[in-house]
Amino acid sequence: MNPKKKTGPQTERRQLRAEAGRFGVIGGLGWLVDTLTFNFCLNVLGLASVRSGLLASAVAIAFNYLGHRYWTYRQSVTVSRSREVGLFVFFSIIGMAIQNGVLAVSHYGFGYTSTWADILAKNMVGLGMATVFRFWAYRSWVFRVTHQPPADVPARDDVTKIRGELSLRRTSRSTGES
């Protein structure tokens, strides 16, 4: 048995852990982008808390799409880039609503209005809830992660056979033979 074609629960768990690790790295960098942007908007530009949170989330969404598309899920096949981007933005907006909803409830509902309370609500509690949702949504709907090759993709040996047959056909056609 070819070691690259192993399947089973242990292999799938290993692949899921690797995927979650890459997702976490991009998410961590995205969190840094989000946090720096949030603090810049809040403390330097003087924007309101929720407005700062929304702007910071939008910048982080753009960063995260690039990271996930070109690293975390680089192996996933893109049928339609516009569909992929649309779904990514759709699910990211839901995640942003979860994250900033926690901030809004904390800030306006419970009256925790300090900068530290806003940071804790948005970047700890809200982000944690949104991350779980995003991981599920991105792998299930945006990048469609499967740990088995699609049924319509031939195995490597079949590809070699097909390529060999195609090259024979080209040769016979180019010489005028059928």
Side-chain angles (χ1 to χ4, degrees), residues 9 24 41 44 51 55 65 73 76 83 105 107 111 126 134 141 162:
C41 291
V44 176
R51 184 172 293 152
L55 184 60
Y65 174 76
Y73 299 107
S76 73
R83 179 184 182 279
V105 168
H107 191 88
R134 287 176 177 135
W141 295 99
I162 291 169

Side-chain angles (χ1 to χ4, degrees), residues 169 172-173 175-178:
R169 285 188 197 143
S172 61
R173 284 184 186 160
T175 61
E177 301 171 15
S178 325

Side-chain angles (χ1 to χ4, degrees), residues 113-174:
T113 58
S114 73
T115 300
W116 286 110
D118 288 346
I119 291 169
L120 179 66
K122 181 182 183 302
N123 292 323
M124 298 298 284
V125 179
L127 182 63
M129 293 169 62
T131 296
V132 171
F133 169 77
R134 287 176 177 135
F135 182 70
W136 169 81
Y138 295 165
R139 76 184 317 268
S140 300
W141 295 99
V142 178
F143 300 109
R144 301 237 181 190
V145 173
T146 60
H147 296 296
Q148 298 176 8
D152 61 338
V153 175
R156 184 133 181 105
D157 293 337
D158 294 339
V159 170
T160 305
K161 286 181 191 175
I162 291 169
R163 285 184 184 152
E165 290 172 11
L166 291 175
S167 64
L168 289 175
R169 285 188 197 143
R170 276 192 214 121
T171 305
S172 61
R173 284 184 186 160
S174 65

Side-chain angles (χ1 to χ4, degrees), residues 67-120:
H68 289 313
R69 161 55 25 227
Y70 296 106
W71 190 51
T72 307
Y73 299 107
R74 67 183 175 269
Q75 79 283 358
S76 73
V77 177
T78 302
V79 176
S80 166
R81 182 73 60 170
S82 60
R83 179 184 182 279
E84 180 181 276
V85 170
L87 284 172
F88 190 89
V89 169
F90 174 73
F91 288 118
S92 294
I93 288 171
I94 293 172
M96 184 171 60
I98 292 168
Q99 188 174 356
N100 287 287
V102 171
L103 170 62
V105 168
S106 171
H107 191 88
Y108 298 112
F110 296 135
Y112 297 121
T113 58
S114 73
T115 300
W116 286 110
D118 288 346
I119 291 169
L120 179 66

Side-chain angles (χ1 to χ4, degrees), residues 35-53 55 103 107 113-116 118-119:
T35 301
L36 292 173
T37 305
F38 178 70
N39 286 317
F40 178 78
C41 291
L42 190 66
N43 298 315
V44 176
L45 299 180
L47 298 177
S49 293
V50 174
R51 184 172 293 152
S52 295
L55 184 60
L103 170 62
H107 191 88
T113 58
S114 73
T115 300
W116 286 110
D118 288 346
I119 291 169

